[in-house]
Amino acid sequence: MDVPVIQQAKIQAQVLVPLVKALQAELGEVRANALVREALGDIYRRYGEEIWRTKNEKNLGKIMASGLATFAREDALDYRVIEQSQDAFEFDVTGCRYAEFYKELGEPELGFLLVCSADFPMAEGFGPDIKFMRTQTIMQGASHCDFRYKRLTETD
């Protein structure tokens, strides 16, 4: 089944939003959110490992550009690539239908928890040689999301 990621996020939200809200009511927001981040983090870390393992490619820029295209399918993201090379991939997301969806739900904080929080553990799955940085997101009210991937040891 080849369901675009934006559609997957919308389907998952139907179950996860009420579940997270119930957990927050029962456990408190901080504890519930930590539990959700931990559980989903394990899933996304494995997903990152799988992406890295199945791409038969050493060029970080090519791997990440392919991954970005997957998340941007169906006009889900507007973005501009800043750098794409063997050892780096940097881009800004300037429009995000994931954020628009969660804003329409009235749940941008849960959108950040359920969608944006996946970026760091997924990058961990790429291995210790890949550093990921992001300092802001549209979901949290910024003008854009700043994604920066760098290989720590340069390749030939």
Side-chain angles (χ1 to χ4, degrees):
M1 188 165 69
D2 190 26
V3 178
V5 178
I6 185 73
Q7 295 304 324
Q8 292 176 36
K10 290 178 178 182
I11 292 165
Q12 292 166 348
Q14 293 175 17
V15 173
L16 292 177
V17 167
L19 177 61
V20 171
K21 289 180 92 142
L23 286 170
Q24 289 174 338
E26 184 71 25
L27 303 173
E29 188 173 328
V30 171
R31 186 156 181 244
N33 289 1
L35 183 64
V36 169
R37 263 192 302 278
E38 182 180 335
L40 294 180
D42 290 342
I43 292 167
Y44 288 117
R45 197 170 297 101
R46 285 192 302 271
Y47 184 59
E49 291 168 356
E50 181 181 324
I51 289 170
W52 202 257
R53 190 175 51 253
T54 58
K55 300 280 183 194
N56 191 16
E57 177 64 59
K58 295 191 186 321
N59 185 304
L60 177 62
K62 286 183 182 177
I63 292 171
M64 299 314 300
S66 172
L68 176 57
T70 299
F71 286 92
R73 267 183 64 200
E74 299 222 344
D75 197 35
L77 299 173
D78 303 324
Y79 61 91
R80 80 173 176 273
V81 175
I82 296 164
E83 179 183 351
Q84 181 176 348
S85 68
Q86 176 79 16
D87 296 310
F89 189 65
E90 299 184 2
F91 65 98
D92 288 340
V93 171
T94 56
C96 179
R97 261 47 79 205
Y98 300 91
E100 290 171 13
F101 170 72
Y102 275 95
K103 187 175 182 180
E104 288 170 10
L105 287 180
E107 301 291 350
E109 310 82 28
L110 292 185
F112 180 80
L113 177 66
L114 298 172
V115 176
C116 304
S117 292
D119 296 332
F120 285 93
M122 189 178 303
E124 289 171 10
F126 299 155
D129 195 38
I130 306 302
K131 180 181 179 188
F132 171 62
M133 292 188 334
R134 189 193 65 224
T135 64
Q136 61 186 28
T137 66
I138 293 170
M139 196 81 76
Q140 293 179 301
S143 62
H144 66 282
C145 309
D146 57 342
F147 288 79
R148 307 294 185 259
Y149 294 89
K150 295 253 188 226
R151 189 183 319 270
L152 296 177
T153 53
E154 292 186 8
T155 59
D156 297 326

